[in-house]
Amino acid sequence: MKSSTKSSSILALSGGIGGAKLALGLTHVMRSEKLMIVGNIGDDFEHYGLQISPDLDTLMYTLSGKADSEKGWGLADESWVFMQALEKLGGDTWFQLGDTDLATHLERTRRLREGESLSAITVDFCRRFGIESSIIPVSNDPVPTIVKTPEGDLAFQDYFVREGCKPTVTGFRFQGADEAEPNPELLETLRNPLLQAVVICPSNPFLSIDPILAFPAVREALRNCHAPVIAVSPIIDGDAVKGPTAKIFDQLGYPVCATAVANHYRDFIDGFILDIQDSALVSQINKMGISVELANTLMTDLNVKTELARSVLDFSERCAKRNLSL
Ligand code: FO1
C-alpha cells in the first residue's frame, strides 16, 4: 500500500565518506524511501566555473552503488581523459574531475544558472540514479566552510585537497549560516511526529556535521526533536578511521577520543554509539546524561555497514521507549 504521506521516518545527517557508508547501511535495513539524508554543503565550491557539491555527490554515488569504493568519492570505473588534456594545457589539476563525474558538475551548474534550486536538482539526479531515499542539501543557499589557520583563512577544498589537510587548523567559519535559510524539508521532518529517529553519521564533527548544525533553526529543532537523536562516533580507540578528524581534534585542543565527540554533541543527542574497542568510555559518557551502546563501527564492508545501521535503529527504539517512560 502506497505510504499515505511522503514523510521520512528516519533522518540522517551526513558529510564525507564515513557518513555515506552508514547511510548506505541504513538503506539495507529499512524501507529506503522512508530515509531522508541531509547532506553537508560546506565543502561546496566553484571550480573552473563549475558548482561542485562533493558531499551530495558522495551520498548520491554511494547510495546508487556507483561510487569509487577505494577513494570513497567520485565514480567507479572512471576515465580521466579530460584531466589529462587539462594537464597538457597547464591547467589546475589539484582537484581531480573524472570524465563521468564532470557531467554531474556541468549539468548541476547549468540547472543552477537556470534558477533551479540545489534541492530540486538533487531530487532529480537521485531519481535518475535510481535512489529511493531523499538526499537533501541542508540549505539551497551557499554556506561555505572556511578553515582558519595561523596563516589566514582557507576555503575548504584548498585546505582539504590542495593543501592535503596539512595546515594547522585554529577554527572554522560557516560563512552565511546565520542568514541562510535552512532547507524547509529538513525543519518539517525534524518537527514531524512521525519521525522515529535522527542519526548523526560518523562523519567529521567539525568538517561535516557542524556546518549542518551551524544553522540556528536546525540546532534548535534537533534540541527540541521528540524523536531520539543517536550519534555514531567517528573516532575509534583514539583515532579516526579516515581523514583529518583526529588531527583536528588535537589541533583545536580537544582530547582525541570518542568522549570528546559525545561532548561536542551533548546538547542535542540522546544516544551515542561507541566502538567496542572503547567500552572503557561508557561510564564517562553516561555521566553526561547520554545513553551509550557498543557496536562494531569500523565499516570495512557492506555487512558491517548494515549491522551498524541495524544497531543504530534498535538503539533508537530503546531510547524512544525510555523517553516515553520518563
Ligand atoms: N578529494 C581528494 O582528496 N582529491 C580530489 O582530487 C578530490 C576530487 C573530488 C571530485 C569530486 C568530488 O565530489 C569529491 C572530490 N574529492 C577529492 C573529495 C572532496 O574533497 C570531499 O570534499 C571530501 O570527500 C570530504 O568530504
Side-chain angles (χ1 to χ4, degrees), residues 119-144:
S119 295
I121 296 165
T122 308
V123 165
D124 186 54
F125 280 9
C126 285
R127 184 178 58 77
R128 292 169 184 275
F129 271 93
I131 296 168
E132 293 171 342
S133 303
S134 309
I135 297 175
I136 67 165
V138 59
S139 173
N140 286 316
D141 304 322
V143 180

mmCIF file with all atom_site columns, all heavy atoms in Angstrom, residues 119-144:
data_model
loop_
_atom_site.group_PDB
_atom_site.id
_atom_site.type_symbol
_atom_site.label_atom_id
_atom_site.label_alt_id
_atom_site.label_comp_id
_atom_site.label_asym_id
_atom_site.label_entity_id
_atom_site.label_seq_id
_atom_site.pdbx_PDB_ins_code
_atom_site.Cartn_x
_atom_site.Cartn_y
_atom_site.Cartn_z
_atom_site.occupancy
_atom_site.B_iso_or_equiv
_atom_site.pdbx_formal_charge
_atom_site.auth_seq_id
_atom_site.auth_comp_id
_atom_site.auth_asym_id
_atom_site.auth_atom_id
_atom_site.pdbx_PDB_model_num
ATOM 1   N N   . SER A 1 119 ? 18.184 21.736 -4.130  1.00 0.00 ? 119 SER A N   1
ATOM 2   C CA  . SER A 1 119 ? 17.332 20.615 -3.670  1.00 0.00 ? 119 SER A CA  1
ATOM 3   C C   . SER A 1 119 ? 16.634 19.938 -4.833  1.00 0.00 ? 119 SER A C   1
ATOM 4   O O   . SER A 1 119 ? 16.634 18.714 -4.942  1.00 0.00 ? 119 SER A O   1
ATOM 5   C CB  . SER A 1 119 ? 16.257 21.134 -2.705  1.00 0.00 ? 119 SER A CB  1
ATOM 6   O OG  . SER A 1 119 ? 16.839 21.626 -1.553  1.00 0.00 ? 119 SER A OG  1
ATOM 7   N N   . ALA A 1 120 ? 16.045 20.770 -5.719  1.00 0.00 ? 120 ALA A N   1
ATOM 8   C CA  . ALA A 1 120 ? 15.279 20.210 -6.848  1.00 0.00 ? 120 ALA A CA  1
ATOM 9   C C   . ALA A 1 120 ? 16.204 19.439 -7.787  1.00 0.00 ? 120 ALA A C   1
ATOM 10  O O   . ALA A 1 120 ? 15.870 18.346 -8.257  1.00 0.00 ? 120 ALA A O   1
ATOM 11  C CB  . ALA A 1 120 ? 14.574 21.340 -7.597  1.00 0.00 ? 120 ALA A CB  1
ATOM 12  N N   . ILE A 1 121 ? 17.384 19.974 -8.008  1.00 0.00 ? 121 ILE A N   1
ATOM 13  C CA  . ILE A 1 121 ? 18.358 19.292 -8.875  1.00 0.00 ? 121 ILE A CA  1
ATOM 14  C C   . ILE A 1 121 ? 18.745 17.950 -8.243  1.00 0.00 ? 121 ILE A C   1
ATOM 15  O O   . ILE A 1 121 ? 18.784 16.916 -8.911  1.00 0.00 ? 121 ILE A O   1
ATOM 16  C CB  . ILE A 1 121 ? 19.608 20.175 -9.079  1.00 0.00 ? 121 ILE A CB  1
ATOM 17  C CG1 . ILE A 1 121 ? 19.233 21.469 -9.823  1.00 0.00 ? 121 ILE A CG1 1
ATOM 18  C CG2 . ILE A 1 121 ? 20.700 19.408 -9.833  1.00 0.00 ? 121 ILE A CG2 1
ATOM 19  C CD1 . ILE A 1 121 ? 20.305 22.550 -9.760  1.00 0.00 ? 121 ILE A CD1 1
ATOM 20  N N   . THR A 1 122 ? 18.963 17.973 -6.924  1.00 0.00 ? 122 THR A N   1
ATOM 21  C CA  . THR A 1 122 ? 19.387 16.750 -6.234  1.00 0.00 ? 122 THR A CA  1
ATOM 22  C C   . THR A 1 122 ? 18.292 15.682 -6.281  1.00 0.00 ? 122 THR A C   1
ATOM 23  O O   . THR A 1 122 ? 18.566 14.506 -6.515  1.00 0.00 ? 122 THR A O   1
ATOM 24  C CB  . THR A 1 122 ? 19.765 17.079 -4.770  1.00 0.00 ? 122 THR A CB  1
ATOM 25  O OG1 . THR A 1 122 ? 20.710 18.155 -4.769  1.00 0.00 ? 122 THR A OG1 1
ATOM 26  C CG2 . THR A 1 122 ? 20.367 15.869 -4.062  1.00 0.00 ? 122 THR A CG2 1
ATOM 27  N N   . VAL A 1 123 ? 17.033 16.116 -6.106  1.00 0.00 ? 123 VAL A N   1
ATOM 28  C CA  . VAL A 1 123 ? 15.904 15.165 -6.214  1.00 0.00 ? 123 VAL A CA  1
ATOM 29  C C   . VAL A 1 123 ? 15.913 14.503 -7.595  1.00 0.00 ? 123 VAL A C   1
ATOM 30  O O   . VAL A 1 123 ? 15.815 13.282 -7.725  1.00 0.00 ? 123 VAL A O   1
ATOM 31  C CB  . VAL A 1 123 ? 14.545 15.884 -5.991  1.00 0.00 ? 123 VAL A CB  1
ATOM 32  C CG1 . VAL A 1 123 ? 13.379 15.022 -6.466  1.00 0.00 ? 123 VAL A CG1 1
ATOM 33  C CG2 . VAL A 1 123 ? 14.367 16.256 -4.529  1.00 0.00 ? 123 VAL A CG2 1
ATOM 34  N N   . ASP A 1 124 ? 16.099 15.305 -8.635  1.00 0.00 ? 124 ASP A N   1
ATOM 35  C CA  . ASP A 1 124 ? 16.047 14.744 -9.998  1.00 0.00 ? 124 ASP A CA  1
ATOM 36  C C   . ASP A 1 124 ? 17.249 13.845 -10.272 1.00 0.00 ? 124 ASP A C   1
ATOM 37  O O   . ASP A 1 124 ? 17.119 12.759 -10.843 1.00 0.00 ? 124 ASP A O   1
ATOM 38  C CB  . ASP A 1 124 ? 15.983 15.871 -11.035 1.00 0.00 ? 124 ASP A CB  1
ATOM 39  C CG  . ASP A 1 124 ? 15.769 15.324 -12.443 1.00 0.00 ? 124 ASP A CG  1
ATOM 40  O OD1 . ASP A 1 124 ? 14.804 14.563 -12.626 1.00 0.00 ? 124 ASP A OD1 1
ATOM 41  O OD2 . ASP A 1 124 ? 16.601 15.585 -13.318 1.00 0.00 ? 124 ASP A OD2 1
ATOM 42  N N   . PHE A 1 125 ? 18.419 14.270 -9.837  1.00 0.00 ? 125 PHE A N   1
ATOM 43  C CA  . PHE A 1 125 ? 19.615 13.426 -10.025 1.00 0.00 ? 125 PHE A CA  1
ATOM 44  C C   . PHE A 1 125 ? 19.431 12.082 -9.306  1.00 0.00 ? 125 PHE A C   1
ATOM 45  O O   . PHE A 1 125 ? 19.739 11.018 -9.860  1.00 0.00 ? 125 PHE A O   1
ATOM 46  C CB  . PHE A 1 125 ? 20.863 14.130 -9.467  1.00 0.00 ? 125 PHE A CB  1
ATOM 47  C CG  . PHE A 1 125 ? 21.466 15.185 -10.372 1.00 0.00 ? 125 PHE A CG  1
ATOM 48  C CD1 . PHE A 1 125 ? 20.825 15.612 -11.525 1.00 0.00 ? 125 PHE A CD1 1
ATOM 49  C CD2 . PHE A 1 125 ? 22.686 15.753 -10.048 1.00 0.00 ? 125 PHE A CD2 1
ATOM 50  C CE1 . PHE A 1 125 ? 21.390 16.587 -12.348 1.00 0.00 ? 125 PHE A CE1 1
ATOM 51  C CE2 . PHE A 1 125 ? 23.271 16.739 -10.861 1.00 0.00 ? 125 PHE A CE2 1
ATOM 52  C CZ  . PHE A 1 125 ? 22.614 17.154 -12.010 1.00 0.00 ? 125 PHE A CZ  1
ATOM 53  N N   . CYS A 1 126 ? 18.896 12.131 -8.079  1.00 0.00 ? 126 CYS A N   1
ATOM 54  C CA  . CYS A 1 126 ? 18.708 10.876 -7.329  1.00 0.00 ? 126 CYS A CA  1
ATOM 55  C C   . CYS A 1 126 ? 17.730 9.960  -8.049  1.00 0.00 ? 126 CYS A C   1
ATOM 56  O O   . CYS A 1 126 ? 17.962 8.751  -8.133  1.00 0.00 ? 126 CYS A O   1
ATOM 57  C CB  . CYS A 1 126 ? 18.208 11.174 -5.914  1.00 0.00 ? 126 CYS A CB  1
ATOM 58  S SG  . CYS A 1 126 ? 19.512 11.810 -4.824  1.00 0.00 ? 126 CYS A SG  1
ATOM 59  N N   . ARG A 1 127 ? 16.688 10.550 -8.608  1.00 0.00 ? 127 ARG A N   1
ATOM 60  C CA  . ARG A 1 127 ? 15.707 9.735  -9.346  1.00 0.00 ? 127 ARG A CA  1
ATOM 61  C C   . ARG A 1 127 ? 16.418 9.039  -10.511 1.00 0.00 ? 127 ARG A C   1
ATOM 62  O O   . ARG A 1 127 ? 16.280 7.847  -10.745 1.00 0.00 ? 127 ARG A O   1
ATOM 63  C CB  . ARG A 1 127 ? 14.573 10.627 -9.861  1.00 0.00 ? 127 ARG A CB  1
ATOM 64  C CG  . ARG A 1 127 ? 13.424 9.911  -10.555 1.00 0.00 ? 127 ARG A CG  1
ATOM 65  C CD  . ARG A 1 127 ? 12.332 10.890 -10.987 1.00 0.00 ? 127 ARG A CD  1
ATOM 66  N NE  . ARG A 1 127 ? 12.854 11.936 -11.892 1.00 0.00 ? 127 ARG A NE  1
ATOM 67  C CZ  . ARG A 1 127 ? 13.130 11.738 -13.188 1.00 0.00 ? 127 ARG A CZ  1
ATOM 68  N NH1 . ARG A 1 127 ? 12.949 10.540 -13.706 1.00 0.00 ? 127 ARG A NH1 1
ATOM 69  N NH2 . ARG A 1 127 ? 13.589 12.709 -13.956 1.00 0.00 ? 127 ARG A NH2 1
ATOM 70  N N   . ARG A 1 128 ? 17.237 9.783  -11.205 1.00 0.00 ? 128 ARG A N   1
ATOM 71  C CA  . ARG A 1 128 ? 17.943 9.231  -12.377 1.00 0.00 ? 128 ARG A CA  1
ATOM 72  C C   . ARG A 1 128 ? 18.992 8.187  -11.963 1.00 0.00 ? 128 ARG A C   1
ATOM 73  O O   . ARG A 1 128 ? 19.357 7.315  -12.739 1.00 0.00 ? 128 ARG A O   1
ATOM 74  C CB  . ARG A 1 128 ? 18.590 10.364 -13.171 1.00 0.00 ? 128 ARG A CB  1
ATOM 75  C CG  . ARG A 1 128 ? 17.560 11.283 -13.845 1.00 0.00 ? 128 ARG A CG  1
ATOM 76  C CD  . ARG A 1 128 ? 18.199 12.545 -14.403 1.00 0.00 ? 128 ARG A CD  1
ATOM 77  N NE  . ARG A 1 128 ? 17.196 13.445 -14.956 1.00 0.00 ? 128 ARG A NE  1
ATOM 78  C CZ  . ARG A 1 128 ? 16.713 13.348 -16.203 1.00 0.00 ? 128 ARG A CZ  1
ATOM 79  N NH1 . ARG A 1 128 ? 17.146 12.395 -17.007 1.00 0.00 ? 128 ARG A NH1 1
ATOM 80  N NH2 . ARG A 1 128 ? 15.788 14.190 -16.631 1.00 0.00 ? 128 ARG A NH2 1
ATOM 81  N N   . PHE A 1 129 ? 19.495 8.309  -10.712 1.00 0.00 ? 129 PHE A N   1
ATOM 82  C CA  . PHE A 1 129 ? 20.459 7.312  -10.213 1.00 0.00 ? 129 PHE A CA  1
ATOM 83  C C   . PHE A 1 129 ? 19.744 6.141  -9.552  1.00 0.00 ? 129 PHE A C   1
ATOM 84  O O   . PHE A 1 129 ? 20.374 5.264  -8.978  1.00 0.00 ? 129 PHE A O   1
ATOM 85  C CB  . PHE A 1 129 ? 21.423 7.965  -9.207  1.00 0.00 ? 129 PHE A CB  1
ATOM 86  C CG  . PHE A 1 129 ? 22.669 8.557  -9.839  1.00 0.00 ? 129 PHE A CG  1
ATOM 87  C CD1 . PHE A 1 129 ? 22.714 9.894  -10.206 1.00 0.00 ? 129 PHE A CD1 1
ATOM 88  C CD2 . PHE A 1 129 ? 23.788 7.771  -10.072 1.00 0.00 ? 129 PHE A CD2 1
ATOM 89  C CE1 . PHE A 1 129 ? 23.846 10.443 -10.803 1.00 0.00 ? 129 PHE A CE1 1
ATOM 90  C CE2 . PHE A 1 129 ? 24.938 8.307  -10.659 1.00 0.00 ? 129 PHE A CE2 1
ATOM 91  C CZ  . PHE A 1 129 ? 24.965 9.649  -11.024 1.00 0.00 ? 129 PHE A CZ  1
ATOM 92  N N   . GLY A 1 130 ? 18.393 6.149  -9.594  1.00 0.00 ? 130 GLY A N   1
ATOM 93  C CA  . GLY A 1 130 ? 17.624 5.050  -9.023  1.00 0.00 ? 130 GLY A CA  1
ATOM 94  C C   . GLY A 1 130 ? 17.645 5.011  -7.507  1.00 0.00 ? 130 GLY A C   1
ATOM 95  O O   . GLY A 1 130 ? 17.474 3.955  -6.887  1.00 0.00 ? 130 GLY A O   1
ATOM 96  N N   . ILE A 1 131 ? 17.855 6.175  -6.889  1.00 0.00 ? 131 ILE A N   1
ATOM 97  C CA  . ILE A 1 131 ? 17.914 6.222  -5.411  1.00 0.00 ? 131 ILE A CA  1
ATOM 98  C C   . ILE A 1 131 ? 16.514 6.545  -4.871  1.00 0.00 ? 131 ILE A C   1
ATOM 99  O O   . ILE A 1 131 ? 15.895 7.528  -5.295  1.00 0.00 ? 131 ILE A O   1
ATOM 100 C CB  . ILE A 1 131 ? 18.907 7.314  -4.960  1.00 0.00 ? 131 ILE A CB  1
ATOM 101 C CG1 . ILE A 1 131 ? 20.331 6.955  -5.421  1.00 0.00 ? 131 ILE A CG1 1
ATOM 102 C CG2 . ILE A 1 131 ? 18.862 7.519  -3.448  1.00 0.00 ? 131 ILE A CG2 1
ATOM 103 C CD1 . ILE A 1 131 ? 21.322 8.097  -5.270  1.00 0.00 ? 131 ILE A CD1 1
ATOM 104 N N   . GLU A 1 132 ? 16.008 5.720  -3.931  1.00 0.00 ? 132 GLU A N   1
ATOM 105 C CA  . GLU A 1 132 ? 14.660 5.947  -3.397  1.00 0.00 ? 132 GLU A CA  1
ATOM 106 C C   . GLU A 1 132 ? 14.674 6.849  -2.162  1.00 0.00 ? 132 GLU A C   1
ATOM 107 O O   . GLU A 1 132 ? 13.698 7.529  -1.875  1.00 0.00 ? 132 GLU A O   1
ATOM 108 C CB  . GLU A 1 132 ? 14.030 4.590  -3.021  1.00 0.00 ? 132 GLU A CB  1
ATOM 109 C CG  . GLU A 1 132 ? 13.750 3.707  -4.239  1.00 0.00 ? 132 GLU A CG  1
ATOM 110 C CD  . GLU A 1 132 ? 13.326 2.292  -3.834  1.00 0.00 ? 132 GLU A CD  1
ATOM 111 O OE1 . GLU A 1 132 ? 13.581 1.914  -2.669  1.00 0.00 ? 132 GLU A OE1 1
ATOM 112 O OE2 . GLU A 1 132 ? 12.744 1.590  -4.677  1.00 0.00 ? 132 GLU A OE2 1
ATOM 113 N N   . SER A 1 133 ? 15.799 6.867  -1.442  1.00 0.00 ? 133 SER A N   1
ATOM 114 C CA  . SER A 1 133 ? 15.896 7.749  -0.264  1.00 0.00 ? 133 SER A CA  1
ATOM 115 C C   . SER A 1 133 ? 15.963 9.197  -0.736  1.00 0.00 ? 133 SER A C   1
ATOM 116 O O   . SER A 1 133 ? 16.313 9.477  -1.883  1.00 0.00 ? 133 SER A O   1
ATOM 117 C CB  . SER A 1 133 ? 17.160 7.416  0.543   1.00 0.00 ? 133 SER A CB  1
ATOM 118 O OG  . SER A 1 133 ? 17.139 6.051  0.916   1.00 0.00 ? 133 SER A OG  1
ATOM 119 N N   . SER A 1 134 ? 15.610 10.111 0.181   1.00 0.00 ? 134 SER A N   1
ATOM 120 C CA  . SER A 1 134 ? 15.688 11.549 -0.165  1.00 0.00 ? 134 SER A CA  1
ATOM 121 C C   . SER A 1 134 ? 17.022 12.093 0.308   1.00 0.00 ? 134 SER A C   1
ATOM 122 O O   . SER A 1 134 ? 17.320 12.039 1.507   1.00 0.00 ? 134 SER A O   1
ATOM 123 C CB  . SER A 1 134 ? 14.598 12.336 0.572   1.00 0.00 ? 134 SER A CB  1
ATOM 124 O OG  . SER A 1 134 ? 13.370 11.744 0.377   1.00 0.00 ? 134 SER A OG  1
ATOM 125 N N   . ILE A 1 135 ? 17.801 12.586 -0.609  1.00 0.00 ? 135 ILE A N   1
ATOM 126 C CA  . ILE A 1 135 ? 19.034 13.289 -0.240  1.00 0.00 ? 135 ILE A CA  1
ATOM 127 C C   . ILE A 1 135 ? 18.744 14.776 -0.400  1.00 0.00 ? 135 ILE A C   1
ATOM 128 O O   . ILE A 1 135 ? 18.306 15.207 -1.479  1.00 0.00 ? 135 ILE A O   1
ATOM 129 C CB  . ILE A 1 135 ? 20.212 12.878 -1.150  1.00 0.00 ? 135 ILE A CB  1
ATOM 130 C CG1 . ILE A 1 135 ? 20.524 11.389 -0.996  1.00 0.00 ? 135 ILE A CG1 1
ATOM 131 C CG2 . ILE A 1 135 ? 21.449 13.724 -0.846  1.00 0.00 ? 135 ILE A CG2 1
ATOM 132 C CD1 . ILE A 1 135 ? 21.595 10.870 -1.956  1.00 0.00 ? 135 ILE A CD1 1
ATOM 133 N N   . ILE A 1 136 ? 18.909 15.533 0.674   1.00 0.00 ? 136 ILE A N   1
ATOM 134 C CA  . ILE A 1 136 ? 18.644 16.973 0.567   1.00 0.00 ? 136 ILE A CA  1
ATOM 135 C C   . ILE A 1 136 ? 19.827 17.774 1.097   1.00 0.00 ? 136 ILE A C   1
ATOM 136 O O   . ILE A 1 136 ? 20.454 17.378 2.080   1.00 0.00 ? 136 ILE A O   1
ATOM 137 C CB  . ILE A 1 136 ? 17.365 17.378 1.339   1.00 0.00 ? 136 ILE A CB  1
ATOM 138 C CG1 . ILE A 1 136 ? 17.522 17.218 2.845   1.00 0.00 ? 136 ILE A CG1 1
ATOM 139 C CG2 . ILE A 1 136 ? 16.138 16.602 0.855   1.00 0.00 ? 136 ILE A CG2 1
ATOM 140 C CD1 . ILE A 1 136 ? 16.433 17.943 3.639   1.00 0.00 ? 136 ILE A CD1 1
ATOM 141 N N   . PRO A 1 137 ? 20.144 18.893 0.455   1.00 0.00 ? 137 PRO A N   1
ATOM 142 C CA  . PRO A 1 137 ? 21.180 19.773 0.995   1.00 0.00 ? 137 PRO A CA  1
ATOM 143 C C   . PRO A 1 137 ? 20.615 20.486 2.231   1.00 0.00 ? 137 PRO A C   1
ATOM 144 O O   . PRO A 1 137 ? 19.404 20.747 2.284   1.00 0.00 ? 137 PRO A O   1
ATOM 145 C CB  . PRO A 1 137 ? 21.427 20.766 -0.134  1.00 0.00 ? 137 PRO A CB  1
ATOM 146 C CG  . PRO A 1 137 ? 20.180 20.785 -0.945  1.00 0.00 ? 137 PRO A CG  1
ATOM 147 C CD  . PRO A 1 137 ? 19.549 19.434 -0.790  1.00 0.00 ? 137 PRO A CD  1
ATOM 148 N N   . VAL A 1 138 ? 21.440 20.781 3.192   1.00 0.00 ? 138 VAL A N   1
ATOM 149 C CA  . VAL A 1 138 ? 20.954 21.446 4.420   1.00 0.00 ? 138 VAL A CA  1
ATOM 150 C C   . VAL A 1 138 ? 20.361 22.817 4.081   1.00 0.00 ? 138 VAL A C   1
ATOM 151 O O   . VAL A 1 138 ? 19.509 23.331 4.796   1.00 0.00 ? 138 VAL A O   1
ATOM 152 C CB  . VAL A 1 138 ? 22.075 21.556 5.492   1.00 0.00 ? 138 VAL A CB  1
ATOM 153 C CG1 . VAL A 1 138 ? 23.264 22.340 4.976   1.00 0.00 ? 138 VAL A CG1 1
ATOM 154 C CG2 . VAL A 1 138 ? 21.543 22.157 6.776   1.00 0.00 ? 138 VAL A CG2 1
ATOM 155 N N   . SER A 1 139 ? 20.799 23.391 2.961   1.00 0.00 ? 139 SER A N   1
ATOM 156 C CA  . SER A 1 139 ? 20.235 24.682 2.530   1.00 0.00 ? 139 SER A CA  1
ATOM 157 C C   . SER A 1 139 ? 20.408 24.823 1.017   1.00 0.00 ? 139 SER A C   1
ATOM 158 O O   . SER A 1 139 ? 21.294 24.199 0.428   1.00 0.00 ? 139 SER A O   1
ATOM 159 C CB  . SER A 1 139 ? 20.971 25.834 3.230   1.00 0.00 ? 139 SER A CB  1
ATOM 160 O OG  . SER A 1 139 ? 20.554 27.085 2.711   1.00 0.00 ? 139 SER A OG  1
ATOM 161 N N   . ASN A 1 140 ? 19.554 25.641 0.424   1.00 0.00 ? 140 ASN A N   1
ATOM 162 C CA  . ASN A 1 140 ? 19.731 25.950 -1.008  1.00 0.00 ? 140 ASN A CA  1
ATOM 163 C C   . ASN A 1 140 ? 20.623 27.170 -1.174  1.00 0.00 ? 140 ASN A C   1
ATOM 164 O O   . ASN A 1 140 ? 20.910 27.570 -2.306  1.00 0.00 ? 140 ASN A O   1
ATOM 165 C CB  . ASN A 1 140 ? 18.365 26.184 -1.673  1.00 0.00 ? 140 ASN A CB  1
ATOM 166 C CG  . ASN A 1 140 ? 17.614 24.879 -1.866  1.00 0.00 ? 140 ASN A CG  1
ATOM 167 O OD1 . ASN A 1 140 ? 18.202 23.881 -2.293  1.00 0.00 ? 140 ASN A OD1 1
ATOM 168 N ND2 . ASN A 1 140 ? 16.345 24.862 -1.521  1.00 0.00 ? 140 ASN A ND2 1
ATOM 169 N N   . ASP A 1 141 ? 20.985 27.772 -0.035  1.00 0.00 ? 141 ASP A N   1
ATOM 170 C CA  . ASP A 1 141 ? 21.896 28.922 -0.105  1.00 0.00 ? 141 ASP A CA  1
ATOM 171 C C   . ASP A 1 141 ? 23.317 28.437 0.170   1.00 0.00 ? 141 ASP A C   1
ATOM 172 O O   . ASP A 1 141 ? 23.507 27.546 1.003   1.00 0.00 ? 141 ASP A O   1
ATOM 173 C CB  . ASP A 1 141 ? 21.515 29.966 0.974   1.00 0.00 ? 141 ASP A CB  1
ATOM 174 C CG  . ASP A 1 141 ? 20.061 30.421 0.847   1.00 0.00 ? 141 ASP A CG  1
ATOM 175 O OD1 . ASP A 1 141 ? 19.604 30.560 -0.312  1.00 0.00 ? 141 ASP A OD1 1
ATOM 176 O OD2 . ASP A 1 141 ? 19.398 30.594 1.877   1.00 0.00 ? 141 ASP A OD2 1
ATOM 177 N N   . PRO A 1 142 ? 24.296 29.018 -0.484  1.00 0.00 ? 142 PRO A N   1
ATOM 178 C CA  . PRO A 1 142 ? 25.677 28.577 -0.219  1.00 0.00 ? 142 PRO A CA  1
ATOM 179 C C   . PRO A 1 142 ? 26.148 28.996 1.174   1.00 0.00 ? 142 PRO A C   1
ATOM 180 O O   . PRO A 1 142 ? 25.929 30.136 1.587   1.00 0.00 ? 142 PRO A O   1
ATOM 181 C CB  . PRO A 1 142 ? 26.492 29.295 -1.306  1.00 0.00 ? 142 PRO A CB  1
ATOM 182 C CG  . PRO A 1 142 ? 25.635 30.384 -1.813  1.00 0.00 ? 142 PRO A CG  1
ATOM 183 C CD  . PRO A 1 142 ? 24.216 30.063 -1.505  1.00 0.00 ? 142 PRO A CD  1
ATOM 184 N N   . VAL A 1 143 ? 26.701 28.049 1.923   1.00 0.00 ? 143 VAL A N   1
ATOM 185 C CA  . VAL A 1 143 ? 27.280 28.362 3.252   1.00 0.00 ? 143 VAL A CA  1
ATOM 186 C C   . VAL A 1 143 ? 28.639 27.652 3.308   1.00 0.00 ? 143 VAL A C   1
ATOM 187 O O   . VAL A 1 143 ? 28.782 26.592 3.918   1.00 0.00 ? 143 VAL A O   1
ATOM 188 C CB  . VAL A 1 143 ? 26.370 27.878 4.396   1.00 0.00 ? 143 VAL A CB  1
ATOM 189 C CG1 . VAL A 1 143 ? 26.993 28.210 5.767   1.00 0.00 ? 143 VAL A CG1 1
ATOM 190 C CG2 . VAL A 1 143 ? 24.979 28.497 4.273   1.00 0.00 ? 143 VAL A CG2 1
ATOM 191 N N   . PRO A 1 144 ? 29.625 28.226 2.596   1.00 0.00 ? 144 PRO A N   1
ATOM 192 C CA  . PRO A 1 144 ? 30.933 27.555 2.511   1.00 0.00 ? 144 PRO A CA  1
ATOM 193 C C   . PRO A 1 144 ? 31.671 27.506 3.851   1.00 0.00 ? 144 PRO A C   1
ATOM 194 O O   . PRO A 1 144 ? 31.631 28.467 4.627   1.00 0.00 ? 144 PRO A O   1
ATOM 195 C CB  . PRO A 1 144 ? 31.714 28.393 1.499   1.00 0.00 ? 144 PRO A CB  1
ATOM 196 C CG  . PRO A 1 144 ? 31.029 29.706 1.457   1.00 0.00 ? 144 PRO A CG  1
ATOM 197 C CD  . PRO A 1 144 ? 29.610 29.492 1.821   1.00 0.00 ? 144 PRO A CD  1
#
